[in-house]
């Protein structure tokens, strides 16, 4: 049934080649007890390993039941060892962390025998070798003879055709040896038993046939068979270790090293604890911040200014270009202002707040709005004088607008609440003007020039500005009629006369204001602002002025220039949002002489107001999203020039804070990850040590028919268990730590329950832990699989 045909095998170590078997041919009967005798190093073990498929021959052929093994694949050898061969070793080679029953069952476990059958067969085998009372013990609790009996039971359990025993009594005393030999002889009644021994007496007493080896050759054979029974129907049942078996095997191994495992799991859980805590804190802070912000920021307006300093129109404005300029100091305490040229480093975008757009704004769902506040622009005739000559002030370059009113229902004074007074006093009378500077105390040169100040100076004292006076001239004094047409009452003498006349209204810059630090509600841009009552007074007066009345009668031509108006669309009625505004193109010149439509001309003459800034106050945070979405819709498909750029202050604050939070989280996680890398390396080392410790076990498993893959699986299972343990431990500890952390945070910040571990994060971290430890153990596991079973079994 088993035939060795001209088998040769040699081992090469370095440059030295040792011939272990030299042209060995042997035939074996189906049932016989063959003893192989020979001096040490004569090739007995090598021969046995080749027969058992643990080692592969170099030349010749091994024929099993008439089947050549020349073309056997690894899996065929594995199956052969598992199904057809039972090994008995001198040193028993039991897996010490498994019970003896589990040891006996292992071969069957590998070939997928059901648990019930497996257990029954194992108990039968153990009964047969006389260990009925010991089946619940572990190998360490048995004597040498008993352990060898377990090994015999293991070899028998899967009911193989061939039992191979390599000096099975080598480590036993004489009495025990004889008992074991009796047992083997009993087995040989219906199996082929090949036993290596160096004890000729035992061989003589028990064996049916004695084969002598010397120097890798057979030198005598006491009882060779005459004819060979051929049996060609040879089928092997393939083996495979289930994941569950791998887990059980490693679980039992790990449970014998509880402290080491616990410490390893704890050490590698530290990174997980760190990350879990960071995530739970940032998670909690994010929640707290966004709930705080949606409360606190809900009344921040979305503002649309006629002139928006912005470079990137597609994003939310507006990073002030000046911020990058180091020479400006934010919120300086200096008592002066700094002239600058805004066009030098900023692209100014003009929002054309056309009638169409204002109508569009009318369409905002009123449920979203708490209120709307406007800052308006009325063209007034203003003169300034150096004491001798008076000149007109170009209000267009003055950013001359009214300061906003608070939206309906909001108490208090807009200027007092949202601005700091730098010099002078806040406006009290309707004729008081106020200068608004930016956070760097800067003021556009063009504005300063229009005010008649030395705009080229590096700095201008507040004193030069506060108290500065101007005269407001009503239309009837400013324009004179001749032959139904009007003209500016404009020569120098007339202007000075107007300036000094009793009809002129004195305007005075009462103070200089600046937005409060951290107050996003201050939406006015730098310039000169006046009160609404002044604007209304002028409008009322202008409406009754002769020039306006004349222009109202006149549809076709500009009453100042006599020029025919070009056809301009955009005739409109009232617009329902507060006071009525000019319906023309509100960006039109303030010079009535260059107006190209009747509406523009009327606006330029101060008969109607135009909006210069609109603040939309949302009902709440969600409503703001709705408003912003509505504003974005307008911009869809429009060119950059036509777009209306708005400022969403709440969004800017929120994205800034969540951006900072994200940044901090990332940095902290990066730090915590270092400990993950450390644990990765540590797991690699631990697994490598485990591989070294379990070398023998690897050999045994391979002898029992385990595939290379199964060995990898065993160690992957081990790292998987450690990874899960450390992941779960880490999450558990992190969860417990959130309790004191929250108590501490509560006492410091008054925020409760900040640290909250998101279950999804927890799950992700356990998966990460398992993944990383398996990665760390991957190379050692592969290394284990590559171990030569023969070498593995030889190891001590
Ligand atoms: P025996 O069992 O008869 O004592 P072995 O079969 O173990 O002898 O060894 C036969 C020869 O082959 C010896 O010289 C031994 O050193 C050599 N040998 C066996 N296995 C290996 C191996 N894995 N690597 C190198 N040499 C080996
Ligand atoms: Mg040997």
């Amino acid at each position: 049934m088993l035939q060795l045909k001209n088998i040769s095998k040699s081992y090469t170590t370095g440059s030295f080649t040792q011939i272990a078997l030299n042209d060995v041919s042997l035939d074996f009967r189906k049932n016989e007890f063959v003893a192989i005798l020979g001096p040490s190093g004569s090739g007995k073990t090598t021969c046995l390993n080749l027969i058992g498929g643990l080692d592969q021959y170099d030349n010749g052929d091994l024929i099993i039941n008439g089947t050549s093994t020349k073309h056997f694949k690894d899996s065929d050898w594995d199956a052969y060892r598992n199904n057809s061969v039972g090994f008995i070793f001198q040193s028993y080679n039991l897996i010490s962390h498994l019970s003896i029953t589990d040891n006996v069952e292992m071969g069957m476990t590998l070939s997928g025998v059901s648990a019930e059958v497996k257990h029954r067969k194992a108990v039968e085998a153990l009964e047969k070798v006389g260990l009925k009372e010991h089946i619940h013990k572990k190998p360490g609790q048995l004597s040498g003879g008993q352990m060898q009996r377990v090994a015999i039971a293991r070899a028998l359990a899967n009911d193989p055709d061939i039992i191979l025993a390599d000096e099975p009594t080598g480590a036993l005393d004489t009495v025990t040896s004889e008992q074991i030999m009796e047992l083997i002889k009993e087995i040989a009644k219906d199996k082929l038993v090949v036993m290596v021994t160096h004890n000729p007496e035992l061989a003589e007493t028990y064996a049916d046939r004695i084969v002598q080896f010397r120097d890798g050759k057979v030198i005598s054979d006491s009882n060779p068979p005459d004819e060979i029974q051929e049996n060609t129907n040879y089928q092997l049942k393939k083996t495979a270790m289930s994941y569950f078996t791998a887990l059980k095997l490693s679980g039992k191994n790990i449970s014998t090293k509880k402290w080491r495992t616990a410490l390893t799991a704890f050490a590698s859980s530290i990174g997980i604890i760190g990350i879990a805590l960071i995530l739970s804190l940032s998670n909690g802070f994010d929640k707290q911040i966004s709930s705080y912000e949606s409360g606190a920021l809900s009344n921040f307006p979305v503002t649309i200014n006629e002139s928006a300093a912005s470079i990137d129109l597609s994003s939310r404005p507006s990073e002030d270009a000046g911020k990058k300029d180091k020479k400006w100091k934010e919120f300086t305490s200096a008592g002066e202002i700094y002239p600058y040229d805004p066009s030098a480093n900023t692209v100014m975008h003009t929002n054309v707040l056309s009638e169409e757009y204002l109508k569009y704004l009318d369409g905002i769902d009123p449920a979203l709005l708490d209120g709307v506040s406007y800052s308006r622009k009325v063209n007034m005739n203003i003169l300034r004088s150096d004491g001798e000559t008076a000149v007109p002030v170009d209000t267009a370059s003055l950013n001359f607008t009214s300061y906003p009113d608070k939206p309906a229902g909001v108490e208090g004074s807009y200027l007092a609440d949202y601005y700091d007074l730098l010099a002078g006093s806040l406006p009290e009378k309707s004729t008081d003007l106020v200068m608004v500077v930016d956070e760097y105390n800067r003021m556009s040169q063009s504005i300063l020039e229009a005010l008649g100040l030395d705009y080229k100076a590096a700095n201008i004292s507040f004193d030069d500005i506060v108290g500065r006076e101007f005269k407001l001239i009503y239309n009837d004094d400013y324009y004179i009629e001749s032959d139904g047409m009007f003209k500016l009452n404009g020569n120098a003498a007339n202007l000075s006369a107007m300036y000094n006349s009793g009809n002129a209204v004195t305007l005075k810059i009462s103070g200089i204001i600046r937005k409060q630090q951290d107050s996003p509600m201050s939406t006015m841009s730098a310039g000169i602002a006046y009160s609404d009552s002044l604007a209304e007074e002028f409008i009322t007066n202008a409406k009754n002025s002769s020039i306006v009345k004349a222009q109202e009668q006149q549809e076709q031509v500009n009453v100042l220039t006599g020029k025919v108006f070009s056809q301009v669309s955009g005739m409109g009625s009232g617009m329902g949002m507060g006071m009525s505004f000019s319906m023309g193109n509100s960006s039109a010149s303030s010079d009535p002489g260059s107006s190209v439509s009747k509406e523009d001309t009327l606006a330029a003459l101060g008969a109607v107001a135009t909006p210069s800034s609109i603040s939309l106050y949302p009902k709440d945070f969600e409503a703001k999203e709705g408003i912003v979405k509505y504003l974005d819709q307008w911009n869809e498909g429009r060119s950059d020039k036509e777009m209306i750029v708005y400022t969403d202050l709440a969004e800017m604050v929120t994205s800034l804070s969540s951006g900072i939070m994200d940044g901090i989280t990332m940095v902290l996680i990066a730090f915590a990850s270092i400990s993950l890398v450390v644990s990765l390396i540590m797991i690699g080392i631990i697994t490598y040590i485990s591989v070294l410790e379990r070398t023998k076990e690897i050999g045994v498993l391979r002898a029992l028919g385990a595939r290379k893959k199964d060995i990898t699986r065993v160690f992957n299972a081990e790292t998987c268990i450690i990874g899960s343990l450390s992941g779960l431990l880490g999450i558990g500890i992190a969860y417990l730590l959130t309790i004191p952390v929250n108590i501490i945070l509560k006492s410091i910040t008054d925020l409760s329950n900040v640290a909250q571990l998101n279950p999804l994060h927890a799950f992700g971290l356990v998966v990460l832990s398992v993944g990383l430890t398996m990665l760390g153990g991957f190379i050692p596991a592969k290394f284990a699989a590559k171990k030569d079973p023969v070498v593995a079994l030889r190891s001590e």
Side-chain angles (χ1 to χ4, degrees):
M1 75 152 291
L2 191 73
Q3 254 184 302
L4 273 67
K5 275 190 173 170
N6 311 100
I7 293 271
S8 299
K9 173 77 183 174
S10 55
Y11 295 103
T12 305
T13 342
S15 59
F16 177 72
T17 301
Q18 170 72 44
I19 298 171
L21 287 180
N22 187 359
D23 197 23
V24 171
S25 294
L26 278 172
D27 290 346
F28 295 100
R29 297 179 184 86
K30 203 167 163 30
N31 305 317
E32 62 175 341
F33 188 174
V34 184
I36 297 180
L37 279 174
S40 180
S42 58
K44 308 181 297 291
T45 299
T46 305
C47 182
L48 214 60
N49 287 343
L50 289 180
I51 294 173
L54 262 184
D55 211 351
Q56 269 73 58
Y57 50 87
D58 297 338
N59 286 304
D61 197 1
L62 174 69
I63 293 161
I64 306 161
N65 286 339
T67 307
S68 163
T69 58
K70 266 190 180 151
H71 304 293
F72 259 34
K73 296 189 296 267
D74 277 357
S75 62
D76 295 318
W77 285 119
D78 296 336
Y80 167 65
R81 282 198 306 278
N82 182 267
N83 305 170
S84 305
V85 184
F87 282 97
I88 302 166
F89 305 95
Q90 181 180 349
S91 52
Y92 332 124
N93 287 345
L94 299 177
I95 299 172
S96 58
H97 56 81
L98 296 182
S99 76
I100 63 173
T101 329
D102 283 341
N103 266 285
V104 174
E105 283 178 8
M106 186 52 68
M108 291 181 284
T109 306
L110 288 169
S111 53
V113 175
S114 76
E116 214 179 307
V117 176
K118 204 165 68 174
H119 192 71
R120 182 169 50 76
K121 282 193 172 181
V123 173
E124 268 171 27
L126 283 166
E127 276 175 13
K128 200 167 179 177
V129 299
L131 289 175
K132 198 181 173 191
E133 290 88 63
H134 305 278
I135 55 171
H136 298 298
K137 290 190 177 166
K138 287 219 167 170
Q141 297 164 315
L142 300 177
S143 70
Q146 285 172 323
M147 281 199 272
Q148 194 59 294
R149 281 167 194 270
V150 176
I152 293 169
R154 177 176 64 185
L156 290 176
N158 217 6
D159 196 23
D161 299 326
I162 308 163
I163 298 287
L164 302 173
D166 195 351
E167 307 198 23
T169 59
L172 302 174
D173 60 76
T174 325
V175 182
T176 319
S177 292
E178 281 168 2
Q179 291 168 352
I180 294 293
M181 288 312 292
E182 285 293 346
L183 190 57
I184 294 176
K185 187 162 175 63
E186 179 71 23
I187 292 162
K189 279 185 184 155
D190 56 354
K191 286 187 196 305
L192 166 62
V193 175
V194 183
M195 179 187 76
V196 167
T197 180
H198 50 217
N199 187 336
E201 283 147 48
L202 280 184
E204 295 287 352
T205 319
Y206 295 97
D208 307 326
R209 174 183 170 190
I210 296 176
V211 177
Q212 298 254 18
F213 269 66
R214 191 145 304 160
D215 298 330
K217 278 180 175 293
V218 177
I219 55 160
S220 78
D221 188 341
S222 70
N223 183 17
D226 323 319
E227 47 159 335
I228 306 137
Q229 313 117 303
E230 298 260 303
N231 177 353
T232 46
N233 263 341
Y234 185 60
Q235 286 278 318
L236 285 172
K237 195 166 167 242
K238 293 279 158 87
T239 65
M241 188 186 283
S242 69
Y243 285 102
F244 177 73
T245 307
L247 275 175
K248 183 175 157 190
L249 204 58
S250 285
K252 292 218 166 144
N253 175 50
I254 281 174
S255 68
T256 62
K257 295 175 279 195
K258 289 198 183 69
W259 278 107
R260 185 211 281 185
T261 309
L263 284 174
T264 310
F266 177 64
S268 56
S269 73
I270 287 171
I272 300 291
I273 297 173
I275 295 178
L277 273 182
I278 292 162
L279 285 176
S280 54
L281 278 173
S282 96
N283 181 29
F285 272 125
D286 262 350
K287 271 190 200 162
Q288 297 273 1
I289 288 172
S290 64
S291 81
Y292 165 77
E293 279 174 348
S294 58
L297 304 181
S298 64
N299 48 8
F300 280 24
V302 176
T303 304
I304 304 156
N305 274 314
E306 195 178 18
S307 62
S310 171
I311 297 160
D312 181 6
L313 295 175
S314 59
S315 72
R316 309 264 158 86
S318 65
E319 180 77 10
D320 191 344
K323 273 182 192 164
K324 290 185 183 93
D325 202 336
K326 285 284 184 290
K327 78 179 178 200
W328 309 114
K329 199 163 151 270
E330 251 188 310
F331 299 102
T332 172
S333 53
E336 50 198 19
I337 65 159
Y338 305 103
Y340 85 119
D341 179 4
S343 63
N345 45 14
T346 316
V347 176
M348 294 300 292
H349 175 74
T350 302
N351 281 327
V352 179
L353 303 176
S354 63
E355 173 204 4
E356 196 190 351
Y357 187 68
L358 295 171
K359 266 193 173 163
Y360 179 76
L361 287 187
D362 255 356
I364 294 182
D365 181 358
L368 299 176
L369 284 171
D370 226 8
V372 182
S373 115
Y374 294 92
S375 148
R376 2 180 184 263
K377 208 165 70 174
V378 178
N379 269 313
M380 300 183 218
N381 316 310
I382 311 281
L383 295 181
R384 64 177 163 84
S385 168
D386 58 4
E388 289 165 22
T389 50
V391 285
V393 172
D394 176 15
T395 52
S397 53
L398 211 55
N399 197 11
F400 201 54
T401 59
S402 73
Y403 40 84
D405 44 359
K406 278 205 161 179
V410 179
E411 296 288 309
S413 144
Y414 180 83
L415 294 183
D417 288 354
Y418 304 136
Y419 283 84
D420 284 331
L421 180 67
L422 299 181
S425 55
L426 286 178
E428 281 156 16
K429 291 182 289 187
S430 67
T431 55
D432 284 346
L433 305 177
V434 59
M435 174 181 268
V436 187
V437 295
D438 71 5
E439 59 262 51
Y440 305 96
N441 279 20
R442 292 182 309 182
M443 181 56 74
S444 152
Q445 287 173 342
S446 60
I447 294 177
L448 294 168
E449 186 182 11
L451 292 174
L453 287 153
D454 179 12
Y455 68 94
K456 286 191 173 132
N459 49 299
I460 298 172
S461 158
F462 288 162
D463 299 338
D464 290 346
I465 293 163
V466 177
R468 196 159 264 265
E469 289 189 353
F470 302 90
K471 297 283 169 128
L472 173 74
I473 312 296
Y474 289 117
N475 282 352
D476 282 343
D477 294 324
Y478 206 64
Y479 299 102
I480 49 171
E481 189 181 3
S482 67
D483 309 330
M485 291 298 285
F486 288 80
K487 68 175 203 276
L488 196 64
N489 192 5
N491 65 53
N494 287 348
L495 287 175
S496 295
M498 264 189 256
Y499 189 93
N500 295 316
S501 116
N503 282 349
V505 180
T506 306
L507 305 179
K508 193 176 83 180
I509 297 181
S510 70
I512 299 173
I513 58 170
R514 182 174 67 192
K515 68 177 264 191
Q516 283 170 5
Q517 201 158 358
D518 306 322
S519 164
M521 301 294 274
S522 4
T523 56
M524 280 196 288
S525 44
I528 302 291
Y530 48 82
S531 66
D532 256 339
S533 37
L534 181 72
E536 263 158 37
E537 203 178 307
F538 190 83
I539 291 172
T540 314
N541 184 285
K543 276 182 176 160
N544 292 317
S545 66
S546 329
I547 185 167
V548 169
K549 281 187 170 154
Q551 185 64 67
E552 270 171 348
Q553 303 295 313
Q554 183 51 263
E555 296 290 337
Q556 306 298 330
V557 295
N558 184 317
V559 293
L560 265 172
T561 58
K563 278 192 195 138
V564 178
F565 293 132
S566 53
Q567 272 326 106
V568 180
S569 61
M571 287 290 295
S573 52
M575 43 158 296
M577 274 208 312
M579 82 189 268
S580 85
F581 290 119
S582 150
M583 287 307 140
N585 182 342
S586 58
S587 74
S589 161
S590 62
D591 173 10
S594 60
S595 301
V596 289
S597 70
K598 182 182 168 185
E599 288 70 35
D600 286 348
T601 315
L602 288 174
L605 289 171
V608 278
T610 57
S612 73
S613 118
I614 304 163
S615 293
L616 305 164
Y617 292 83
K619 270 238 155 45
D620 53 37
F621 214 64
E622 276 90 69
K624 191 214 70 185
E625 297 301 320
I627 293 172
V628 164
K629 220 166 112 195
Y630 187 78
L631 297 182
D632 284 337
Q633 265 166 27
W634 169 270
N635 287 336
E636 268 165 34
R638 281 177 205 266
S639 71
D640 283 358
K641 230 182 138 76
E642 290 171 331
M643 278 193 191
I644 301 292
V645 179
Y646 58 86
T647 311
D648 178 358
L649 290 152
E651 173 65 23
M652 283 161 73
V653 175
T654 312
S655 68
L656 184 71
S657 66
S658 81
I660 290 171
M661 202 60 216
D662 286 353
I664 294 172
T665 307
M666 297 290 272
V667 170
L668 291 179
I669 286 181
F671 274 114
S673 301
I674 293 172
S675 54
L676 283 185
V677 175
V678 173
S679 62
L680 190 81
I681 296 167
M682 187 180 65
I683 293 290
I685 296 169
I686 297 278
T687 312
Y688 180 70
I689 292 171
S690 179
V691 169
L692 294 184
E693 284 173 350
R694 296 173 78 181
T695 302
K696 200 82 180 228
E697 186 182 334
I698 295 169
V700 174
L701 289 172
R702 293 303 307 276
L704 288 170
R707 303 166 302 167
K708 288 183 177 172
K709 233 190 239 175
D710 300 329
I711 303 299
T712 313
R713 213 169 264 186
V714 168
F715 289 94
N716 282 343
E718 181 165 318
T719 47
C720 178
I721 293 170
I722 297 181
S724 321
L725 284 177
S726 72
L728 292 171
L729 192 69
I731 294 302
I733 295 176
Y735 180 74
L736 289 178
L737 281 177
T738 57
I739 298 167
V741 163
N742 278 335
I743 292 171
I744 293 167
L745 282 178
K746 169 87 185 165
S747 72
I748 299 173
T749 64
D750 214 35
L751 298 172
S752 48
N753 272 329
V754 173
Q756 290 175 28
L757 189 55
N758 181 337
L760 215 67
H761 287 166
F763 177 75
L765 284 171
V766 174
V767 172
L768 178 77
S769 170
V770 171
L772 282 180
T773 44
M774 287 186 74
L775 190 70
F778 184 73
I779 293 167
K782 279 275 168 221
F783 166 77
K786 287 221 173 77
K787 274 192 183 285
D788 183 340
V790 176
V791 177
L793 282 169
R794 272 171 190 255
S795 76
E796 274 320 309

